[in-house]
């Protein structure tokens, strides 16, 4: 298992799903974890799970579309947990649907909660990571951005591809600062995926047949532990990459 003892992480959207799985895995590897999101009760549940295992966690309620909330998340994490070494930008409102069905409001919300929030948080954590000699930023993308048939995924894919570009730029600009920036594109048993399966059963069945490993990833075991490993010194020479944690389905070449 990865060793993140003494590290401090901030994970957005950590009250459920992929964010919670990542937070649990980071804590299991020894990191103190600030979990953020819009629903305090869910965040407290994540903290309780971490505490039950002997880990340390801090719940911070806030909306990633609010720049003042983002600043408060970073400052509270650094002040109450002693610094900031790892940032995971997981929270995202997904503007799903065909282009004629996606409203301007949903499209804007997708960018505000995704690439804009990640952009803001990356800049906010930079001085804290610099003060600690470096750090790791993990942003979440999606294979929806590279589908051969983008029908129904154009707005969502655009949001996620923007996040990949920002990650590559940050990796290039901040590498000499000791800050690594990675993107993951997971398939996992999240509430969002379960909703999609329930509402698109025929497409979901065809989708599952295209996964070489034949299953969807587990939140903590498959996605969370991979992120913990990527944040460890064992992957200290890896930056700027997109890692598809999807059972071998997508081709990002």
């Amino acid at each position: 298992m990865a060793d993140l003892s003494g590290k401090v992480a901030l994970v957005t959207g950590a009250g459920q799903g992929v964010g919670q799985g990542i937070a649990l895995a980071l804590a299991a590897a020894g990191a103190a974890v600030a979990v953020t999101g819009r629903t305090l009760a869910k965040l407290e549940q994540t903290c309780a799970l971490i505490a039950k295992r002997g880990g340390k966690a801090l719940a911070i309620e806030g909306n990633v579309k609010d720049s003042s909330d983002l600043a408060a998340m970073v400052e509270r994490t650094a002040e109450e947990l002693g610094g900031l070494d790892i940032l995971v930008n997981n929270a995202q409102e997904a503007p799903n649907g065909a282009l004629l069905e996606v409203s301007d409001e949903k499209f804007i919300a997708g960018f505000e909660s995704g690439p804009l929030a990640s952009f803001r948080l990356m800049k906010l954590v930079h001085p804290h990571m610099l003060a600690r000699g470096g750090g790791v930023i993990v942003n979440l993308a999606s294979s929806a951005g590279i589908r051969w048939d983008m029908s129904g995924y154009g707005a969502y894919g655009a949001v996620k591809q923007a996040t990949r570009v920002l990650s590559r730029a940050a990796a290039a600009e901040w590498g000499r600062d000791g800050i690594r920036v990675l993107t993951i594109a997971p398939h996992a048993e999240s509430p969002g995926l379960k909703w999609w399966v329930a509402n698109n059963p025929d497409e979901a069945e065809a989708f599952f047949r295209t996964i070489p490993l034949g299953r969807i990833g587990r939140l903590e075991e498959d996605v969370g532990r991979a992120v913990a490993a990527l944040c460890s010194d064992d992957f200290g020479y890896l930056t700027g990459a997109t890692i598809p944690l999807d059972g071998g389905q997508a081709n990002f070449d």
Side-chain angles (χ1 to χ4, degrees), residues 2 18 36 49 72 94 102 125 134 144 150 157 176 203 207 210 212 226-227 249:
V18 172
T36 77
L49 290 172
V102 177
V125 304
M150 292 299 297
R176 297 300 176 92
E203 187 176 356
F207 172 80
T210 67
V227 170
Q249 185 199 49

Side-chain angles (χ1 to χ4, degrees), residues 13-253:
Q16 63 182 8
V18 172
Q20 184 183 71
I22 292 173
L24 291 173
L26 293 174
V33 185
V35 297
T36 77
R38 291 179 295 184
T39 307
L40 184 59
K42 291 182 178 181
L43 301 174
E44 290 175 339
Q45 289 175 358
T46 301
C47 289
L49 290 172
I50 291 173
K52 187 177 181 179
R53 300 177 179 186
K56 184 175 183 180
L58 171 68
I60 305 176
E61 184 178 10
N63 189 336
V64 294
K65 294 189 293 183
D66 187 318
S67 60
S68 60
D69 280 4
L70 296 178
M73 290 174 190
V74 172
E75 290 307 312
R76 280 196 61 193
T77 300
E79 290 176 8
E80 298 187 35
L81 296 181
L84 218 165
D85 305 283
I86 298 167
L87 168 66
V88 179
N89 283 309
N90 165 69
Q92 172 74 69
E93 292 182 26
N96 291 317
L99 295 180
L100 292 177
E101 298 170 354
V102 177
S103 66
D104 285 2
E105 291 75 18
K106 287 185 178 180
F107 192 57
I108 291 170
F111 267 94
E112 286 181 335
S113 63
L116 180 56
S118 296
F119 174 67
R120 287 169 166 167
L121 276 172
M122 287 193 294
K123 292 195 295 182
L124 285 166
V125 304
H126 182 273
H128 294 281
M129 290 184 174
L130 199 60
R132 296 195 29 120
V136 183
I137 297 170
V138 179
N139 296 324
L140 269 74
S142 170
S143 58
I146 59 168
R147 289 171 60 96
W148 71 270
D149 179 4
M150 292 299 297
S151 301
Y153 296 93
Y156 180 58
V159 165
K160 288 303 190 180
Q161 288 295 82
T163 296
R164 291 184 67 207
V165 172
L166 287 173
S167 300
R168 287 285 301 174
E173 294 176 11
W174 299 346
R176 297 300 176 92
D177 296 331
I179 298 172
R180 297 189 293 116
V181 187
L182 299 166
T183 307
I184 63 167
H187 289 330
E189 299 168 336
S190 65
L193 182 63
K194 291 178 179 178
W195 176 91
W196 179 79
V197 170
N199 287 272
N200 303 273
D202 294 337
E203 187 176 356
E205 183 179 354
F207 172 80
F208 293 146
R209 289 197 298 269
T210 67
I211 300 176
L213 292 184
R215 64 179 177 85
I216 295 296
R218 296 164 295 180
L219 296 171
E220 179 180 356
E221 295 87 343
D222 293 321
V223 178
R225 290 179 185 172
V227 170
L230 291 168
C231 291
S232 73
D233 291 340
D234 290 339
F235 283 86
Y237 197 54
L238 180 64
T239 193
T242 296
I243 297 94
L245 301 176
D246 63 356
Q249 185 199 49
N251 181 3
F252 279 88
D253 293 342

